[in-house]
Amino acid sequence: MDPRFVYDSFVQLLAGVPLTLELTAFAFSLGLLLAVLIALMQISGLRILRIPAGAYVFAIRGTPLLVQIFLIYYGLGQFRPTLQSLGLWQFFREAYWCGILALSLNSAAYGSEVLRGGLQSVSKREIEAGRACGMSGLLLYRRIILPLALRQSLPAYGNELILMVKATSLVSIITMMEVTGIAARLISETYRPVEVFIAAGTIYLIINFLLTRAVSMLDWWLTPHLRGMSTIGEAEQAK
């Protein structure tokens, strides 16, 4: 193994980091919005909302992300005349938008399960306190239920963010030149997969380390009451 070649590969692979982060940011943000909607549908008392949401989550979680990417990018080309008549072909002909759509839909299914658990963990006392203040309906969800659910789901949803970063490597299959796409090109030129993939893995490791630290800091900032409880607990143990 040539350390110099690993370093050179690392430098060349850095060119794919902006696209990797861009795909992650767009797909994660869109997936979060869809996840909130799907989670609310799942906990609703209406079967007309709950059944389609449950079926969607089951289908997405039960099939590989790679298959979903192929179905969107290659499969929808079979319906090109219909998409053209609807004005959607310009969207689905681009690998970039197909990749974002596939990643978003996949993230929404997994994220909705995390958020559903967060929504169901909001205590009735906090809901009743909001109602006692005159809140109801959408206002109660916006001011009490959703903020608490998102805060309680943050550690688990941080894992979804990490999975999203790693999932972006799959869009290299549809000609996207992010980190893994550039790595595949370097391997085809040099026939040295070990060094190239070590460099690529190092880049993903650095990105995910920074993201986990950011999520941890955000969780720490959003839970000042827990910091106080931990301080009290440490003081009692010291006694």
Side-chain angles (χ1 to χ4, degrees):
M1 184 180 297
D2 184 0
R4 179 65 185 180
F5 182 75
V6 174
Y7 174 77
D8 292 338
S9 300
F10 181 87
V11 173
Q12 294 183 62
L13 292 174
L14 288 177
V17 171
L19 181 56
T20 295
L21 296 178
E22 187 176 324
L23 289 169
T24 301
F26 281 146
F28 183 79
S29 301
L30 181 57
L32 177 59
L33 294 176
L34 293 175
V36 172
L37 177 61
I38 295 169
L40 292 174
M41 292 172 64
Q42 285 186 300
I43 66 173
S44 69
L46 301 176
R47 291 172 59 88
I48 193 173
L49 297 178
R50 190 172 66 253
I51 292 177
Y56 170 81
V57 172
F58 175 78
I60 295 296
R61 294 177 67 195
T63 54
L65 174 57
L66 186 59
V67 173
Q68 297 164 18
I69 294 174
F70 284 160
L71 282 174
I72 292 175
Y73 184 66
Y74 294 113
L76 291 180
Q78 181 177 343
F79 307 100
R80 178 175 176 176
T82 303
L83 294 174
Q84 285 179 330
S85 64
L86 296 174
L88 297 176
W89 178 244
Q90 293 300 321
F91 177 89
F92 287 106
R93 68 179 296 182
E94 298 292 337
Y96 179 82
W97 296 115
C98 289
I100 288 180
L101 179 60
L103 293 172
S104 301
L105 295 177
N106 186 270
S107 177
Y110 286 93
S112 65
E113 289 296 286
V114 175
L115 293 177
R116 182 167 66 91
L119 289 168
Q120 292 176 336
S121 68
V122 177
S123 68
K124 293 183 178 179
R125 293 180 301 174
E126 293 163 328
I127 297 175
E128 290 301 324
R131 288 173 177 166
C133 295
M135 301 181 191
S136 63
L138 293 177
L139 181 61
L140 182 63
Y141 266 92
R142 184 171 62 87
R143 298 292 297 273
I144 302 295
I145 299 177
L146 283 179
L148 289 174
L150 290 172
R151 188 179 68 186
Q152 295 177 27
S153 304
L154 181 61
Y157 218 95
N159 292 331
E160 180 60 29
L161 178 60
I162 295 171
L163 292 174
M164 176 60 67
V165 174
K166 294 187 289 186
T168 58
S169 62
L170 294 177
V171 299
S172 62
I173 300 297
I174 56 174
T175 71
M176 298 287 288
M177 286 295 103
E178 39 71 66
V179 173
T180 304
I182 296 177
R185 188 192 66 194
L186 289 176
I187 291 171
S188 66
E189 294 173 353
T190 63
Y191 299 99
R192 302 178 71 171
V194 175
E195 291 96 330
V196 174
F197 278 132
I198 286 177
T202 302
I203 290 176
Y204 284 113
L205 188 63
I206 293 172
I207 293 174
N208 286 325
F209 173 77
L210 295 176
L211 289 176
T212 54
R213 293 300 91 198
V215 171
S216 297
M217 291 179 62
L218 180 60
D219 184 49
W220 180 85
W221 180 67
L222 291 174
T223 55
H225 59 291
L226 296 181
R227 297 200 299 271
M229 291 175 61
S230 63
T231 304
I232 294 174
E234 292 175 357
E236 291 179 351
Q237 290 179 0
K239 292 180 180 179

